[in-house]
């Protein structure tokens, strides 16, 4: 097979990342400069601060990615970049850097949807088989996506309010946990028991949509009420109860979608919240009932934002000759339909 090398960029939120990917399936380098510490004191990502950090980091990230991969610009076949969804100012840094490299080295430019990239992180485990279903759970999105063929993404269910990761971060704040709180809430959850019986919104509805804002409010109200009457609640049990409610709804909807789409060959779990141990364990157990469905979990270190996942998806677009022009702009609310 001819060697295809893609230089990929990701800067949609608070990670500046540049990667060199071979044939969409092998990571030669994946540099991730995280800004988490700068945002922690604000309890979330401050868009303007994020853009400034991206500008400071991006050139070093390119140099490091190229040198670590041991390749030169003349070895590259294309440049890929996340152009949405995400924070507009943050996206623009990656888009501008990618366009500059593409222009300077006469390389095709491949625009990539960030969410499609998250799904393709699973490509580093094994080739994606079609049709497949992806449960995509991140800080900004919670979606069930049907993949009929390479490069085709159809959302069959999504959150009507908060994303799962966003709910983790908000309740984590109430527990005094630094942003992003998901990993620590997950750890606490494993030490506690589901004693609070928080609501499982839309769990009995036929739709594949989700809702997490009611759960978040129930959690916050419970903690505030206890504070007012001077009662201290068990943090581990609070975390376990919250996580049980999130995992129940995510797992039940996913199982229902697998029942509704019996032709599906793989279930792909991707996005930052895909690192959640409770969710991984629960879906592994549920999948026992589906002999013909293979469970493909994005590797833990590729669940969060990174450019290697963008390079994997870009390879599919490269094969389909989906190239962008040098007037490519960031699209903060990019949707999948655009790519269909
Ligand atoms: O995909 P991602 O890195 O960024 C977005 O595109 O949003 O996801 C970040 C989200 C954060 O909300 C973070 O709290 C959550 O993923 N997260 C987790 C875990 N690790 C990260 N949520 C639950 N359990 C985890 N282990
Ligand atoms: Zn993301």
């Amino acid at each position: 097979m001819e060697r295809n090398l893609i230089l990929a960029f990701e800067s949609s939120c608070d990670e500046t990342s540049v990667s060199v990917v071979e044939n969409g399936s092998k990571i030669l380098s994946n540099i991730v400069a995280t800004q988490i510490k700068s945002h922690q004191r604000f309890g979330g990502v401050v868009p303007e601060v994020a853009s400034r950090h991206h500008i400071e980091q991006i050139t070093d990230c390119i140099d490091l990615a190229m040198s670590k991969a041991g390749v030169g610009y003349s070895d590259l076949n294309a440049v890929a970049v996340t152009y949405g969804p995400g924070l507009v100012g943050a996206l623009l840094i990656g888009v501008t850097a990618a366009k500059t490299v593409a222009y300077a080295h006469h390389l095709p430019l491949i625009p990539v949807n960030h969410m499609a990239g998250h799904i393709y992180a699973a490509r580093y485990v094994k080739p994606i088989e079609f049709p497949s279903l992806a449960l995509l759970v991140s800080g900004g999105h919670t979606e069930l996506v049907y993949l009929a063929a390479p490069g085709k993404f159809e959302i069959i269910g999504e959150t009507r309010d908060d994303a799962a990761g966003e709910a983790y971060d908000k309740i984590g704040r109430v527990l005094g946990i630094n942003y992003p709180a998901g990993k620590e809430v997950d750890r606490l959850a494993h030490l506690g028991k589901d004693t609070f019986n928080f609501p499982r919104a839309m769990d009995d509805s036929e739709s594949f949509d989700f809702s997490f804002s009611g759960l978040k409010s129930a959690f916050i109200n419970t903690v505030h009420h206890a504070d007012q009457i001077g009662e201290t609640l068990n943090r581990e049990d609070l975390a376990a109860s919250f996580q049980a409610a999130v995992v129940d709804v995510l797992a039940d909807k996913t199982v229902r979608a697998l029942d509704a789409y019996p032709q599906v060959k793989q279930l792909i779990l991707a996005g930052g919240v895909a690192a959640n141990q409770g969710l991984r364990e629960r879906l592994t157990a549920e999948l026992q009932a589906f002999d013909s469905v293979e469970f493909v979990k994005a590797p833990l270190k590729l669940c969060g934002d990174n450019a290697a996942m963008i390079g994997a998806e870009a390879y599919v677009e490269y094969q389909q000759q989906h190239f962008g022009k040098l007037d490519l702009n960031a699209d903060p609310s990019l949707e999948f339909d655009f790519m269909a």
Side-chain angles (χ1 to χ4, degrees), residues 73-330:
Y73 287 104
S74 58
D75 300 318
L76 299 176
N77 296 80
V79 179
V81 62
T82 300
Y83 73 115
L87 304 168
V88 66
L91 288 164
L92 275 171
I93 313 302
V95 168
T96 306
K99 289 201 288 192
T100 307
V101 176
Y103 178 70
H105 299 282
H106 310 285
L107 291 164
L109 179 71
I110 306 173
V112 176
N113 179 312
H114 180 75
M115 307 316 292
H118 269 304
I119 294 173
Y120 270 79
R123 175 63 188 86
Y124 293 111
V125 179
K126 52 178 50 184
I128 295 178
E129 287 179 31
F130 299 91
S132 66
L133 181 77
L135 174 63
L136 196 44
V137 268
S138 76
H141 294 78
T142 299
E143 296 166 352
L144 275 164
V145 184
Y146 181 72
L147 286 79
K152 299 270 181 238
F153 305 90
E154 184 197 342
I155 295 178
I156 60 164
E158 63 191 322
T159 183
R160 297 193 178 172
D161 39 59
D162 291 358
E166 185 182 357
Y168 267 95
D169 295 338
K170 286 179 178 163
I171 68 99
R173 204 173 171 168
V174 176
L175 292 178
I177 300 169
N178 266 342
Y179 168 87
K183 194 173 173 190
E184 177 62 9
V185 175
D186 188 13
R187 191 188 69 79
L188 287 176
H190 278 81
L191 305 173
K193 288 203 176 64
D194 176 11
T195 53
F196 288 90
N197 202 17
F198 289 127
R200 272 83 168 146
M202 302 188 62
D203 209 9
D204 334 308
S205 120
E206 287 298 306
S207 130
F208 299 126
D209 284 352
F210 307 92
S211 165
F212 294 106
S213 77
L215 166 62
K216 176 194 67 186
S217 303
F219 184 100
I220 294 172
N221 290 343
T222 302
V223 174
H224 282 174
H225 178 70
D227 278 351
Q228 277 161 5
I229 58 171
E231 198 183 317
T232 308
L233 301 176
N234 180 301
R235 295 174 88 230
E236 284 86 7
D237 289 348
L238 278 169
S241 304
F242 171 80
Q243 179 142 311
V246 173
V247 168
D248 269 356
V249 180
L250 290 175
D252 289 350
K253 296 272 173 180
T254 304
V255 165
R256 210 168 295 154
L258 288 173
D259 284 333
Y261 292 82
Q263 65 279 34
V264 159
K265 296 190 178 120
Q266 289 177 334
L267 172 69
I268 296 168
L269 178 63
V273 184
N276 187 275
Q277 289 306 323
L279 182 59
R280 285 178 171 245
E281 285 159 18
R282 172 68 178 273
L283 286 174
T284 303
E286 296 284 358
L287 269 266
Q288 301 290 323
F290 293 87
D291 282 349
S292 56
V293 182
E294 186 180 23
F295 188 23
V296 188
K297 294 168 278 220
L300 274 185
K301 66 177 189 325
L302 298 180
C303 283
D305 293 347
N306 69 89
M309 67 187 198
I310 303 304
E313 207 284 327
Y315 184 60
V316 176
E317 306 299 331
Y318 182 89
Q319 289 169 315
Q320 299 180 3
Q321 304 275 294
H322 287 164
F323 299 130
K325 300 205 185 87
L326 287 176
D327 63 357
L328 177 73
N329 204 352

